[in-house]
Amino acid sequence: DTAVSQTPKYLVTQMGNDKSIKCEQNLGHDTMYWYKQDSKKFLKIMFSYNNKELIINETVPNRFSPKSPDKAHLNLHINSLELGDSAVYFCASSQDRQSEQFFGPGTRLTVL
Amino acid sequence: AQSVAQPEDQVNVAEGNPLTVKCTYSVSGNPYLFWYVQYPNRGLQFLLKYITGDNLVKGSYGFEAEFNKSQTSFHLKKPSALVSDSALYFCAVRARYNDYKLSFGAGTTVTVRA
């Protein structure tokens, strides 16, 4: 009955590979987010979708592409992975613009 | 633009003592303010929020925060800290005109010693 789930939890890959991270929420929320947490624990918003529409697209390399097949899912695809992409990626969701966000457990991406 | 400052990287307190984690913000207009906690290797958990109304907000696990508009602060407090409160705490702000983008502070590591 996990509210926001992410797969995989750990992802180790080589430079230049393409990988995807999946996120699902069973809270019935309309808005979903992707955050990147770097090695210093700093959190930065990457993308946000509301009702499958992209509403936040921060300054992120275009190697990163989010996809929302439906309101309950927001996936993150990363092309041509680089060393600097190593981080923990968090998915989150919220009911509306005033509400708190619920975070997934995170995906630790390590690029070798 | 909106931003959050958490001036202390670390806060150390003894169990049973009061705990305060500081947060100041910068935003145009009225803010929405949030506190989250992150335990090691876990996602962020929501503690409390200020949207409007009473400046003193009570949240989960005995935490509270006071919104001070003149000082643009939203400090997190707990009257009596527990060892289990040891974690990383994030303050976050969103401007009311900015519907969805939440800006986080750099985080404050709280260590409560027994």
Side-chain angles (χ1 to χ4, degrees):
Chain A
D1 60 344
T2 304
V4 182
S5 59
Q6 296 178 227
T7 53
K9 188 169 177 61
Y10 299 97
L11 186 53
V12 181
T13 188
Q14 299 288 331
M15 271 198 311
N17 284 352
D18 303 338
K19 291 294 179 184
S20 292
I21 306 171
K22 295 185 176 182
C23 177
E24 177 181 2
Q25 54 96 2
N26 62 7
L27 298 166
H29 290 168
D30 286 344
T31 309
M32 297 184 72
Y33 312 79
W34 276 111
Y35 288 88
K36 179 180 180 181
Q37 186 175 46
D38 62 23
S39 58
K40 294 184 178 180
K41 305 296 186 184
F42 186 74
L43 267 168
K44 184 170 170 41
I45 181 75
M46 299 174 68
F47 302 103
S48 179
Y49 272 75
N50 179 253
N51 283 320
K52 300 197 301 176
E53 179 184 350
L54 182 65
I55 55 171
I56 296 176
N57 187 355
E58 289 295 286
T59 307
V60 175
N62 58 15
R63 298 182 294 104
F64 290 78
S65 55
K67 284 188 171 51
S68 181
D70 56 58
K71 283 194 335 181
H73 296 84
L74 180 62
N75 303 324
L76 183 65
H77 188 74
I78 316 170
N79 290 327
S80 304
L81 277 156
E82 300 179 356
L83 293 176
D85 298 332
S86 295
V88 180
Y89 292 84
F90 286 103
C91 177
S93 71
S94 67
Q95 184 173 7
D96 53 43
R97 62 194 69 183
Q98 292 187 354
S99 299
E100 62 274 20
Q101 296 178 16
F102 290 78
F103 284 76
T107 296
R108 182 174 295 276
L109 171 65
T110 303
V111 182
L112 303 175
Chain B
Q2 57 190 39
S3 64
V4 171
Q6 292 181 243
E8 299 160 316
D9 291 336
Q10 291 197 349
V11 170
N12 298 307
V13 297
E15 188 173 35
N17 282 359
L19 169 62
T20 298
V21 186
K22 295 179 180 178
C23 170
T24 58
Y25 66 89
S26 174
V27 73
S28 297
N30 294 319
Y32 293 152
L33 293 156
F34 302 82
W35 275 102
Y36 290 84
V37 60
Q38 184 179 25
Y39 296 99
N41 300 313
R42 302 284 296 275
L44 277 71
Q45 294 179 30
F46 168 74
L47 282 178
L48 50 79
K49 66 181 177 183
Y50 172 81
I51 302 297
T52 187
D54 194 347
N55 289 344
L56 184 63
V57 179
K58 294 188 183 297
S60 306
Y61 312 120
F63 284 95
E64 59 186 31
E66 185 164 11
F67 170 62
N68 188 318
K69 188 173 183 178
S70 62
Q71 296 185 5
T72 61
S73 67
F74 190 56
H75 301 329
L76 181 70
K77 299 182 180 183
K78 186 171 183 179
S80 178
L82 301 172
V83 171
S84 57
D85 293 328
S86 298
L88 180 59
Y89 290 80
F90 289 98
C91 182
V93 69
R94 191 178 72 238
R96 294 197 179 211
Y97 66 82
N98 185 343
D99 287 344
Y100 294 98
K101 181 180 175 182
L102 198 58
S103 297
F104 284 84
T108 299
T109 298
V110 170
T111 302
V112 182
R113 59 185 184 276

